[in-house]
Each structure stands twice: as structure tokens, then as C-alpha cells.
Amino acid sequence: MNTFGKLTLLVAAVLALGACDTARDAVMPAAHAEKTPQAEASERGGDAWCDEFADGEGASTDCALRVDDRRFVYLDYLTDEDGYASQLVLTQHSFAGDLLATSEAIDVEPVYGVAALRDLDGDGAVELVIPLFAGNVNTVFAVWREDATGLFAPAGELSSYGIDSLEARDGLVIAPSRGSAVTYYETASRFGPDGLETVYELEMDYSQRACQLTYTAGLEDAGIDGDALVTACEDREW
């Protein structure tokens, strides 16, 4: 069955059951309506809900996320000639059967985590967080945020240990990361008109039990006292 047919079956099941919560337990999401012509279909697929994978499972696997009772997003991973995930196409759908948006192909590398919806800044609205590539410790995530049309659009990138390490604090997005065996960072960002804007980067040196601000922009506008931030960091329990 082609992807159009699979999507039709999903929507029909959702409507027949009368509620997405019920349908979530009864059906798996279908692949998006039209793949990028130049890219090959993923060999890693299977239709699944991204948030139902256990820890350590589901990396670079086609899956969907339910945004609310009206919409879901579908992540279709595309493979290179060796069968490794190399690109991702994101489609946005309504449970009424409408294809709302299709992204350009997004470059990715095989990673351990799966995409997730998180309220990154505590404003009550979720953002879409997509792993792009990973180093030894940190992973770079693409962040998509709802725009004026109500659809997700690219808003920037964050680097951190994992999606669940990202924290909302006083309207800021806090991303912890590691620089070396003894050096750690806390990067605070906020959403501006053009997407994510870094407010500060705080370096924590565990060998010296010392902290310093390595980058600042708009601390006063964010209501942050830089000296107090460093003092609180150094007064922490090491």
C-alpha cells in the first residue's frame, strides 16, 4: 500500500474512534504523503509513535508525534547508499486528513535519541526537538517552534546531553553540556522574533571549582545579574 493509502487508513481510524487518545492506543501513524523525489525511502522505517520507544531505541526510525487533538507531525528518515540515515523530511498533518506542510530535506546523522515535543521555555506551548548529530557526549538538536500560522518552523539549534536535560527556567531555555572531563557549560537562550537567541553561556570548571561567564547578550533585559549568577554557581555543592 502506498503512503497515501496508509495515511488515509490512519485518518479513518482516528475519526471512527472519535478521539485521538483512543486512536493513539489502537493505530500506528502512517508515512507522510509524498517523499522528496531525489531521496531514497528509509530502510529503518516502521510506523510508530516516537514517544513510545524505550530509552535507547528508535534512533533514525520513521515515527510520528501527536501535537494535540487536531494535528500530528511525521518524521521520515532517508538513507544514503550504505543504508545510514542521512536526511530527514518532516511533514505536518491534521487528523482530518490534510497535509499541512512538508519540509525541505534536513541533513542528519545516525543518533541515539528520537525527536520529542517539549515546552522548552515554560510558556505552555510545546516545541519540536529533533536530534541532528551527536559527538562523544553532546547532541545537537534542531528546535522547531509554532509560528503565526500555527505550524512548526525552524527556530534554531541547541547542544546538550539529551532532550530531557533541557530545562525551562524563568522564560529561558537552559541547555547543559560538557566541554571536557572537568569543564561543563550552561547555555541559556530565549525565543526572539528570529528564533533562539543566546542570553549567556556559563562555564563551570570542576578542577578549580570556579565559574565564569564566557558569553552574554541582553542579561539586563532578561532580568539577570551576571555577578550574582557566577556567585551562585561557585557557591553550589561541587
Side-chain angles (χ1 to χ4, degrees):
M1 181 181 294
N2 63 25
T3 54
F4 284 106
K6 295 169 72 180
L7 180 59
T8 300
L9 284 180
L10 170 66
V11 173
V14 171
L15 296 177
L17 289 170
C20 294
D21 287 333
T22 304
R24 177 188 175 88
D25 297 329
V27 297
M28 288 298 187
H32 69 73
E34 193 72 41
K35 290 186 173 73
T36 303
Q38 303 91 328
E40 295 186 15
S42 174
E43 297 293 332
R44 299 168 175 266
D47 295 327
W49 296 101
C50 306
D51 51 8
E52 290 183 347
F53 289 118
D55 289 344
E57 295 182 351
S60 301
T61 299
D62 300 349
C63 62
L65 286 163
R66 192 188 70 172
V67 181
D68 51 34
D69 288 343
R70 296 172 291 105
R71 297 173 297 144
F72 68 94
V73 297
Y74 191 86
L75 297 98
D76 182 19
Y77 287 89
L78 313 172
T79 59
D80 59 22
E81 59 185 11
D82 297 318
Y84 291 101
S86 59
Q87 290 185 318
L88 163 68
V89 172
L90 173 71
T91 51
Q92 304 181 57
H93 306 262
S94 76
F95 277 107
D98 300 315
L99 174 62
L100 304 175
T102 301
S103 75
E104 297 292 332
I106 303 163
D107 290 335
V108 297
E109 294 180 6
V111 292
Y112 295 109
V114 296
L117 295 168
R118 294 287 187 274
D119 181 0
L120 295 179
D121 60 351
D123 68 348
V126 293
E127 283 75 41
L128 174 61
V129 187
I130 305 170
L132 295 180
F133 60 89
N136 291 333
V137 177
N138 305 313
T139 298
V140 174
F141 300 95
V143 176
W144 287 52
R145 183 176 173 85
E146 288 186 347
D147 60 17
T149 69
L151 297 176
F152 288 105
E157 296 180 355
L158 293 171
S159 176
S160 190
Y161 310 135
I163 288 176
D164 290 334
S165 69
L166 302 172
E167 175 190 348
R169 186 191 304 165
D170 300 325
L172 299 176
V173 184
I174 306 298
S177 60
R178 196 176 89 181
S180 69
V182 296
T183 306
Y184 292 75
Y185 292 90
E186 176 181 285
T187 303
S189 306
R190 62 181 171 185
F191 290 104
D194 298 320
L196 279 169
E197 304 170 345
T198 302
V199 176
Y200 70 78
E201 180 182 79
L202 181 66
E203 180 186 84
M204 293 161 277
D205 186 333
Y206 277 71
S207 65
Q208 303 294 324
R209 297 190 175 184
C211 301
Q212 64 172 330
L213 286 167
T214 57
Y215 176 85
T216 62
L219 282 181
E220 185 175 342
D221 291 341
I224 297 172
D225 183 323
D227 292 336
L229 185 66
V230 171
T231 298
C233 177
E234 294 185 336
D235 287 345
R236 65 205 295 267
E237 186 174 337
W238 295 88

